[in-house]
Amino acid sequence: MTAPRKLFVKTYGCQMNVYDSERMTEALGGEGYVATDKADDADMILLNTCHIREKAAEKVYSELGRLRALKDINPDLKIGVAGCVAQAEGEEIMRRAPLVDLVVGPQSYHRLPAMDRAVRAGERALDTDFPLDDKFDTLTDRPKARRAPAAFLTVQEGCDKFCAFCVVPYTRGAEVSRPADRVLREARDLVEAGVVEITLLGQNVNAYHGHDGGLAGLIRDLAKIDGLERIRFTTSHPNDMDDALIAAHGDCEKLMPYLHLPVQSGSDRMLKAMNRKHTAEQYLKLVERIRAARPDLLLSSDFIVGFPGETDADFEATMDLIRAVEFGQAYSFKYSTRPGTPAAEKPQLPEGVMAERLARLQALLTQQQHAIQDGMVGRTVKVLFEKPGRIAGQMIGKSDYLHAVHAVAPAAAVGQVLPVRITSAGPNSLGGELIA
Ligand code: 5AD
Ligand code: SF4
């Protein structure tokens, strides 16, 4: 028997890429590859890339520069670029980086086995199609090996929203939902492999329409799976939060009280320019309705500062919205011009203005985040333990509210949801004691 080939996958960007990296590794498993976590040991290196902001996209070219040295040492090493940069700039990558053997987009990676064979035969391979055949039909069933207790499951891809700043509708294409029966089968397989928490993924996951009852219908069916204890979903658009999904937050016990609901800005003028198709007031009303269904729900959002045309008053409107909502968690970014998007044509704000606004916005968000974390002290929360911590005897897990929690617990706690009394709140995690 020949020794297995080794595959090193480096994942950038969002959770959907994390999921795709797993599926690519599984697809190449059929070609005799096993995963390695060491690049210098690999026969194939795949960079699964992100195109959402300029900085993310630039990382690919600097990483390729570093990989040149490895290819000099091992000329048989094959290098591939996958993900959204591959989709957006595939031909340019092939031109600019002769060391790249393979470029594959997010919708065509089920063809990796054939591409690998071509590459092994000395060819270079590029596939950034949006093929008619569904990659999920071609990909094999997921391996039955024991898994970590929390897993991602992509149920929806692409986006039809066309926010003026965003490349996703171009790199990931139109919205497509996987049929509910396939998702349920994959979920059952994951649970059989030891998974107790599933996060449903989609670029616009609450627009899911692979089930008659939409995302709420899918969640209710998933909740019937014995052994699956927690369900989450991300990322959602405010305009797709329908009544059924809001109701599910109120009465579906397995649906966790945490919702990532990006608003981007609190200024109606900016929301309009961003093509978000809702106002700040509508967002606030929606939050009120969701919180009426699930009062302890923790909200999270994405924010963009310095979108073209943003005035001080627009920025202050965002700060006001943040004060009104109180977010438990948030991601915030300076606006980054993306080629091919409508906003790319507009005059940019000075870097200094963006930096100053971002710092103020992040300070407010951090303050809110810490206040909510401090408020957890003394409460008892349920924690899904995932792995050992850095201190001997300690285990780390996630609370219902997605806070990282560490507590002294037996190794056997991994995979179990156990009550923990929170005793301390640090900047990034909570400490607690297991309740016997
Ligand atoms: N510049 C800055 N941030 C962006 N995002 C998307 N496109 C851009 C851009 N051009 C942010 C949005 C989105 C998150 C995934 O990334 O906040 O919700
Ligand atoms: Fe991008 Fe807007 Fe679609 Fe989110 S909803 S992926 S920000 S276009």
Side-chain angles (χ1 to χ4, degrees), residues 202-418:
Q203 260 96 28
N204 196 8
V205 73
N206 58 343
Y208 177 79
H209 57 261
H211 187 290
D212 289 344
L215 187 63
L218 178 68
I219 288 169
R220 289 188 192 278
D221 279 355
L222 284 164
K224 292 179 198 146
I225 299 177
D226 279 340
L228 177 61
E229 298 193 38
R230 290 175 152 192
I231 302 166
R232 306 180 186 276
F233 60 91
T234 195
T235 288
S236 296
H237 191 288
N239 290 357
D240 291 314
M241 276 314 285
D242 60 17
D243 292 345
L245 194 51
I246 295 173
H249 274 288
D251 62 22
C252 180
E253 262 180 50
K254 291 186 178 179
L255 183 57
M256 291 292 101
Y258 179 99
L259 177 65
H260 184 60
L261 193 65
V263 64
Q264 314 294 354
S265 168
S267 148
D268 288 344
R269 226 173 57 82
M270 285 299 104
L271 288 168
K272 193 165 188 342
M274 289 174 169
N275 194 31
R276 292 290 292 180
K277 298 201 171 79
H278 63 77
T279 61
E281 185 60 29
Q282 283 165 335
Y283 183 84
L284 293 173
K285 285 259 158 62
L286 176 60
V287 165
E288 223 170 82
R289 284 170 56 219
I290 302 166
R291 280 181 169 158
R294 182 79 204 231
D296 63 335
L297 183 117
L298 210 133
L299 270 167
S300 146
S301 175
D302 296 337
F303 294 94
I304 295 179
V305 301
F307 186 77
E310 186 187 73
T311 62
D312 282 338
D314 292 319
F315 175 68
E316 292 307 330
T318 303
M319 296 290 274
D320 288 344
L321 179 139
I322 294 171
R323 284 184 203 103
V325 174
E326 294 189 7
F327 290 95
Q329 173 70 266
Y331 305 88
S332 47
F333 316 97
K334 284 184 225 162
Y335 169 70
S336 166
T337 308
R338 305 311 293 129
T341 58
E345 309 296 322
K346 302 192 180 163
Q348 307 299 299
L349 261 64
E351 173 63 28
V353 173
M354 289 204 274
E356 197 257 342
R357 287 180 188 168
L358 185 66
R360 280 188 54 208
L361 180 118
Q362 289 184 336
L364 176 59
L365 288 166
T366 304
Q367 193 188 318
Q368 293 191 342
Q369 189 185 321
H370 288 175
I372 288 175
Q373 284 168 207
D374 291 347
M376 289 284 165
V377 176
R379 282 181 61 180
T380 296
V381 294
K382 281 182 267 138
V383 173
L384 168 58
F385 284 97
E386 296 184 36
K387 58 184 177 194
R390 260 179 291 152
I391 299 171
Q394 240 183 28
M395 305 299 278
I396 296 193
K398 296 263 169 55
S399 76
D400 288 0
Y401 307 99
L402 210 55
H403 286 129
V405 178
H406 49 85
V408 173
V414 170
Q416 293 193 52
V417 179
L418 301 170

Side-chain angles (χ1 to χ4, degrees), residues 159 161-163 165-166 168-169 203 237 264 276:
C159 184
K161 291 283 188 284
F162 290 93
C163 297
F165 48 79
C166 186
V168 165
Q203 260 96 28
H237 191 288
Q264 314 294 354
R276 292 290 292 180

Side-chain angles (χ1 to χ4, degrees), residues 155-209:
V155 301
Q156 181 277 337
E157 292 187 282
C159 184
D160 296 341
K161 291 283 188 284
F162 290 93
C163 297
F165 48 79
C166 186
V167 286
V168 165
Y170 313 98
T171 53
R172 292 273 179 164
E175 272 175 18
V176 181
S177 295
R178 294 178 67 190
D181 57 336
R182 306 282 173 78
V183 173
L184 287 162
R185 198 174 84 187
E186 189 169 332
R188 279 187 215 102
D189 286 350
L190 289 171
V191 171
E192 245 175 66
V195 169
V196 291
E197 172 178 309
I198 290 181
T199 301
L200 306 174
L201 299 181
Q203 260 96 28
N204 196 8
V205 73
N206 58 343
Y208 177 79
H209 57 261

